[in-house]
Amino acid sequence: MQKKTLVVAIGAALMVPGLALAQKGGGKGDKAEPDSVVELYGKVYPELVFPSSSGATAAGRATCTICLPAEGENAVIKKVEMESSNSRFGVRGHERIGKDLKAIFQLETQFLLDQNNTGFAQRDSFVGVAHKAFGTVKLGRMDTPFKEYGDDLSFLGVSSGNFTSTSNVYRHIGMGGQNNAARFHERRVNAIQYESPDIGPVDFKIQWSTNEAKTRIVDTAGNVTERDPHVLSMGGKLELGAFELLLGHEIHYDLFGISTNVPSAMRNNGATSTAHSKDKATEVALKFKTGIHTFEIDANEKKYRETGTTTTGRISSYKNNAYMFLWEARWSPTWRTAFQYIRATRGECTRVNAVCNTDGLEGEQIGLGFAYHFSRRTYLFVMGTLLKNGYSASFNNSNQQEIAPGEDMRQIAVGLHTNW
């Protein structure tokens, strides 16, 4: 009988949205804080996506020095796709272990409604301790603070992992295969993070993470070089009434963000190379709310630098700027609209004893959408984006398809969102 009762209790917890299982500790009355809490949460937002494209750069036309050659044909196939983006299910909780001190945990799983290859707890998952006066320390897998502070206004609440995400233009580069070693919008593994306590209008986070891939390289002259791929990321927010000011800074050590994206003859990240890389990004964002409208303006600068090589023609540096404007309006409890505009400049580059140009490497993304709410948690959404590439650029916001240099992509989607 006890086993049957336990099975029923677990089943009820899994079926009731937002149910928290708690054990009350000391205290008076019903408002006593529980000693421990376990909470189930999640959101699901599948959609049908209709992609199309045009304008690939003609074969034979010269592209920028560090870009792929023009292909002459559009790579995007016009078809109907089903996406579930970052639909997810999680369990999180805390246990009181002392005065103003809690142990905390979270296990978050992305699940793909259109496939059958879900892996457990591959999203933000960690364990840590939180103190009311001294802040929080977490260990595990987490989004970087740079990712969290800025690009704060989610497009209709569904942009995470979606083609409306701004990250692939705003925080990436438009060359090569868009290897994410160059992107400043990641979830890092092997991470330790400190988060500030409640100190009024200010909060901040700092994170250090390692790739666990430290190597020792000995060149032909016997010189020893150690590579230690790791990331330092930080960010903060200041609330000023209706305004929020957000700042972020991140450094990638030995991730070779440029070498993983330029043509192979220019790369410095070979297994026997003694080169190093240090890539940095700094961002600022201003968020403002007035009445039914919320606005956000963002800007960043990304700098990639690789040193320790004297081979003519190898990549030395690249930098560019990106800008973004977001607007959301809640016209009624039922209707909501969103608009986005993102632009990345072509930037500038250098190579070892060789010329380097970035002609045609700019890109921009324009998005528009609306949502119809059946309830606070459930709504229908329709949205679309136009991604425009310069003739050398290959910015790509598709989860399923590659894109040719200069190709412009249009995507329209209709979907349903619910959360608990």
Side-chain angles (χ1 to χ4, degrees):
M1 179 62 71
Q2 291 179 341
K3 290 182 179 179
K4 290 182 179 180
T5 302
L6 178 60
V7 169
V8 171
I10 294 175
L14 294 173
M15 292 174 63
V16 179
L19 180 65
L21 306 179
Q23 293 181 342
K24 287 189 177 181
K28 297 181 180 180
D30 295 334
K31 295 183 179 180
E33 183 181 358
D35 278 339
S36 61
V37 171
V38 176
E39 178 188 6
L40 306 178
Y41 69 95
K43 66 185 300 181
V44 187
Y45 48 107
E47 61 185 352
L48 292 175
V49 183
F50 306 88
S52 62
S53 70
S54 62
T57 301
R61 179 178 180 179
T63 56
C64 81
T65 310
I66 54 178
C67 299
L68 294 175
E71 299 177 9
E73 294 184 2
N74 297 312
V76 174
I77 299 173
K78 189 175 182 179
K79 59 180 180 178
V80 179
E81 301 171 350
M82 175 171 279
E83 297 279 358
S84 64
S85 302
N86 282 334
S87 295
R88 53 194 180 264
F89 172 85
V91 55
R92 60 192 172 201
H94 69 261
E95 177 189 13
R96 186 165 57 183
I97 56 177
K99 180 176 174 57
D100 296 330
L101 184 64
K102 297 177 181 179
I104 60 174
F105 78 93
Q106 177 174 296
L107 299 171
E108 188 170 285
T109 298
Q110 178 185 5
F111 60 93
L112 305 177
L113 298 178
D114 56 327
Q115 301 180 38
N116 191 26
N117 59 351
T118 294
F120 179 70
Q122 76 276 57
R123 287 183 55 83
D124 284 22
S125 300
F126 53 82
V127 66
V129 291
H131 191 278
K132 185 176 181 180
F134 299 109
T136 301
V137 176
K138 298 176 180 176
L139 287 86
R141 178 192 303 112
M142 290 160 280
D143 286 342
T144 65
F146 189 92
K147 180 179 178 180
E148 290 188 47
Y149 290 97
D151 193 6
D152 191 58
L153 185 59
S154 175
F155 193 91
L156 297 178
V158 297
S159 59
S160 178
N162 189 273
F163 68 84
T164 59
S165 172
T166 64
S167 63
N168 288 317
V169 175
Y170 180 64
R171 288 174 167 168
H172 212 335
I173 54 177
M175 66 192 73
Q178 286 210 304
N179 184 292
N180 283 350
R183 190 171 72 164
F184 289 86
H185 190 82
E186 298 302 304
R187 178 177 300 108
R188 295 288 301 171
V189 299
N190 311 312
I192 179 170
Q193 179 165 295
Y194 171 76
E195 302 175 1
S196 66
D198 183 3
I199 48 178
V202 177
D203 65 79
F204 63 90
K205 299 178 183 179
I206 183 168
Q207 181 190 106
W208 179 90
S209 62
T210 174
N211 283 16
E212 295 184 338
K214 189 173 183 178
T215 56
R216 181 175 290 117
I217 300 168
V218 183
D219 66 13
T220 55
N223 300 310
V224 178
T225 300
E226 288 188 341
R227 282 188 187 160
D228 184 14
H230 61 283
V231 170
L232 178 65
S233 183
M234 61 197 78
K237 178 173 67 175
L238 172 64
E239 295 185 8
L240 301 167
F243 291 89
E244 291 183 8
L245 178 65
L246 304 101
L247 301 170
H249 185 68
E250 186 166 301
I251 307 174
H252 297 176
Y253 297 90
D254 287 343
L255 296 194
F256 291 93
I258 290 298
S259 278
T260 54
N261 287 280
V262 298
S264 57
M266 302 180 192
R267 296 176 182 175
N268 299 307
N269 60 334
T272 60
S273 171
T274 56
H276 288 281
S277 74
K278 187 177 181 180
D279 306 332
K280 300 185 292 184
T282 302
E283 66 180 353
V284 60
L286 181 64
K287 190 175 175 182
F288 173 64
K289 185 173 183 179
T290 175
I292 65 171
H293 304 284
T294 303
F295 302 95
E296 183 178 339
I297 301 173
D298 298 54
N300 71 42
E301 181 181 63
K302 301 177 289 295
K303 295 181 177 180
Y304 304 82
R305 183 166 179 79
E306 300 185 2
T307 58
T309 181
T310 58
T311 304
T312 297
R314 296 287 180 86
I315 188 69
S316 296
S317 69
Y318 173 73
K319 67 177 181 179
N320 85 331
N321 299 314
Y323 310 94
M324 181 169 63
F325 171 74
L326 306 171
W327 169 39
E328 179 180 274
R330 296 177 179 262
W331 304 100
S332 71
T334 303
W335 291 99
R336 177 167 46 139
T337 60
F339 171 80
Q340 63 177 207
Y341 176 76
I342 309 103
R343 179 170 179 81
T345 64
R346 70 181 191 179
E348 57 187 66
C349 64
T350 61
R351 293 194 298 154
V352 178
N353 300 321
V355 297
C356 194
N357 74 71
T358 56
D359 296 344
L361 195 48
E362 65 277 355
E364 62 182 5
Q365 179 174 309
I366 304 168
L368 181 66
F370 70 87
Y372 177 82
H373 286 251
F374 302 104
S375 69
R376 182 175 60 87
R377 296 191 299 265
T378 303
Y379 53 89
L380 174 74
F381 59 88
V382 178
M383 57 193 186
T385 61
L386 170 61
L387 175 61
K388 300 180 67 176
N389 277 305
Y391 66 84
S392 297
S394 51
F395 289 103
N396 187 359
N397 61 354
S398 172
N399 289 326
Q400 296 193 22
Q401 303 199 52
E402 299 299 322
I403 196 166
E407 187 173 6
D408 300 332
M409 182 186 294
R410 294 169 293 277
Q411 298 190 77
I412 298 173
V414 56
L416 189 65
H417 170 283
T418 190
N419 70 277
W420 63 92

